[in-house]
Amino acid sequence: MGHSAAVWDHKAAVEVTKDWNGIDQVVLRSPRGSSTRVSLHGGQVISWRNDQGEELLFTSSKAIFKPPKAMRGGIPICFPQFGNRGSLEQHGFARNRVWAIEENPPPLHPNDSKGKSFVDLLLKPSEEDLKCWPHSFEFRLRVSLTSDGDLVLISRVRNINGKPFSFSFAYHSYLLVSDIRYSSCTYKHSVVFSEVRIEGLETLDYLDNLCHKERFTEQGDAITFESEIDRVYLSTPNVIAVLDHERKRTFVIRKEGLPDVVVWNPWEKKSKAMMDFGDEEYKQMACVDGAAIEKPITLKPGEEWTGRLEISVVPSSFCSENLDPSPFLRP
């Protein structure tokens, strides 16, 4: 765990508590009052609040908070498989395992510690994991909260196996939004939109999981939500924006090492079929994932891969054209 002692007190910045199942959770706080909560079950971020105490991540009211099932909401880690694209359980096993806090991990770039409260987690395969996926690895996850309240996740996967292995990966990020359903109305001869929209994925190819992973090209000038959507956008830019006009805020997603973006919303019919998801809750969530899916990551023995995700919230006057394309370079 880490802190910046010159900015705020360590004990106030990082706190370890237990949930009702006796599993450790780590609470990180910024000096301005924002916070995030990380469960060692799955290494999963389960809450992220701004400095007004408003929750920014969606969690279903019907979520099951008991291992070994992953909780529906927050940011589950999909590893070493995304979805059903392999022989493992849905989204792999990392989100269903209990991680350990690592006090002295291998160093990261100094900017990944400066001005942040953070916790470092570690996952190694169990004997049962090795039976279904016979590759030895070390998965290190750093969850950070910047002094401005931005949420940063850095994953490092190292091959300590004697042979190469490949995996797919996603930060399955459930963003909390106002009513996601697309609508428009005419006001004084102009069209007014009330919507959640994603900018930065225009003109890109995507694999549509609702059409047997067939490849299409995005035709819209932004992605809006009018029905179920389950797509993997390919070769995406390092910065995309999720605009929530009703709440007048924009989620800015910056990423590295994650060429793909998953966009998912189950819509009405599928929501009613999911036991751990409320019938109407699809209206308040959008999954927008930084991911590596189409071309799995391959590591030779001793090699390490790093995937970074930073989510910030800015006024909704921002759009993807205004965003700095070089993430993680700011002091």
Side-chain angles (χ1 to χ4, degrees):
M1 286 179 287
H3 61 100
S4 179
V7 179
W8 68 94
D9 178 70
H10 168 60
K11 292 182 179 179
V14 182
E15 178 187 4
V16 180
T17 64
K18 289 189 181 294
D19 67 13
W20 43 91
N21 295 308
I23 297 175
D24 282 347
Q25 294 183 353
V26 181
V27 181
L28 307 176
R29 295 184 177 89
S30 79
R32 298 181 183 178
S34 48
S35 65
T36 189
R37 185 179 294 266
V38 189
S39 175
L40 268 61
H41 175 218
Q44 183 169 344
V45 174
I46 59 175
S47 175
W48 175 37
R49 294 180 179 271
N50 63 18
D51 52 12
Q52 281 85 46
E54 299 171 321
E55 181 60 58
L56 301 169
L57 298 178
F58 167 86
T59 299
S60 173
S61 62
K62 293 189 174 182
I64 299 169
F65 294 87
K66 190 171 184 179
K69 188 170 180 61
M71 189 194 77
R72 176 74 66 183
I75 307 180
I77 302 291
C78 302
F79 171 88
Q81 174 183 301
F82 178 81
N84 59 1
R85 296 167 181 262
S87 60
L88 300 176
E89 58 193 286
Q90 176 86 355
H91 291 323
F93 51 72
R95 66 185 186 140
N96 298 321
R97 301 296 184 264
V98 177
W99 296 51
I101 295 175
E102 188 174 28
E103 296 289 351
N104 295 295
L108 284 162
H109 190 279
N111 279 354
D112 291 322
S113 304
K114 184 179 179 182
K116 300 177 175 73
S117 60
F118 59 86
V119 63
D120 289 290
L121 304 182
L122 175 65
L123 179 68
K124 294 182 179 181
S126 66
E127 290 185 8
E128 290 300 313
D129 295 335
L130 291 170
K131 288 178 182 178
C132 64
W133 199 67
H135 306 294
S136 295
F137 65 88
E138 292 176 341
F139 188 145
R140 290 181 167 85
L141 172 67
R142 173 170 289 189
V143 180
S144 303
L145 195 65
T146 71
S147 58
D148 292 331
D150 299 343
L151 182 63
V152 184
L153 292 87
I154 303 173
S155 290
R156 292 183 286 171
V157 177
R158 179 173 291 276
N159 182 355
I160 57 173
N161 203 47
K163 297 184 293 185
F165 64 71
S166 300
F167 62 90
S168 54
F169 177 91
Y171 292 112
H172 197 30
S173 307
Y174 287 77
L175 304 180
L176 181 63
V177 296
S178 57
D179 196 331
I180 199 170
R181 295 171 297 176
Y182 175 87
S183 63
S184 63
C185 62
T186 302
Y187 178 70
K188 292 184 178 180
H189 308 293
S190 63
V191 177
V192 178
F193 296 100
S194 174
E195 63 188 38
V196 173
R197 57 193 282 138
I198 303 172
E199 295 188 355
L201 302 177
E202 307 80 43
T203 74
L204 298 182
D205 285 359
Y206 63 87
L207 306 178
D208 194 332
N209 290 324
L210 302 179
C211 296
H212 308 288
K213 302 180 177 65
E214 189 175 345
R215 190 174 184 128
F216 297 92
T217 300
E218 178 59 50
Q219 301 297 323
D221 59 358
I223 297 169
T224 55
F225 296 83
E226 303 175 64
S227 60
E228 181 183 356
I229 184 171
D230 189 354
R231 300 173 182 173
V232 180
Y233 285 83
L234 310 174
S235 301
T236 61
N238 281 342
V239 185
I240 60 172
V242 182
L243 286 73
D244 188 341
H245 289 276
E246 184 174 325
R247 292 187 173 168
K248 296 182 171 59
R249 69 187 182 198
T250 296
F251 291 94
V252 180
I253 299 173
R254 294 180 170 88
K255 57 190 180 65
E256 285 186 347
L258 302 164
D260 305 324
V261 167
V262 178
V263 178
W264 178 68
N265 183 285
W267 217 251
E268 188 172 8
K269 183 178 179 181
K270 187 163 287 185
S271 295
K272 292 180 178 178
M274 297 163 64
M275 289 182 57
D276 60 347
F277 198 92
D279 290 354
E280 302 293 321
E281 289 182 333
Y282 71 92
K283 300 173 186 176
Q284 272 72 54
M285 58 75 64
C287 277
V288 184
D289 310 353
I293 297 171
E294 185 200 22
K295 298 176 181 177
I297 305 297
T298 298
L299 294 179
K300 298 176 182 177
E303 281 190 333
E304 183 175 271
W305 165 85
T306 300
R308 303 167 180 250
L309 181 76
E310 178 182 313
I311 311 177
S312 56
V313 177
V314 299
S316 60
S317 56
F318 276 65
C319 65
S320 57
E321 294 177 355
N322 303 119
L323 300 176
D324 180 359
S326 55
F328 308 106
L329 300 180
R330 295 169 296 170

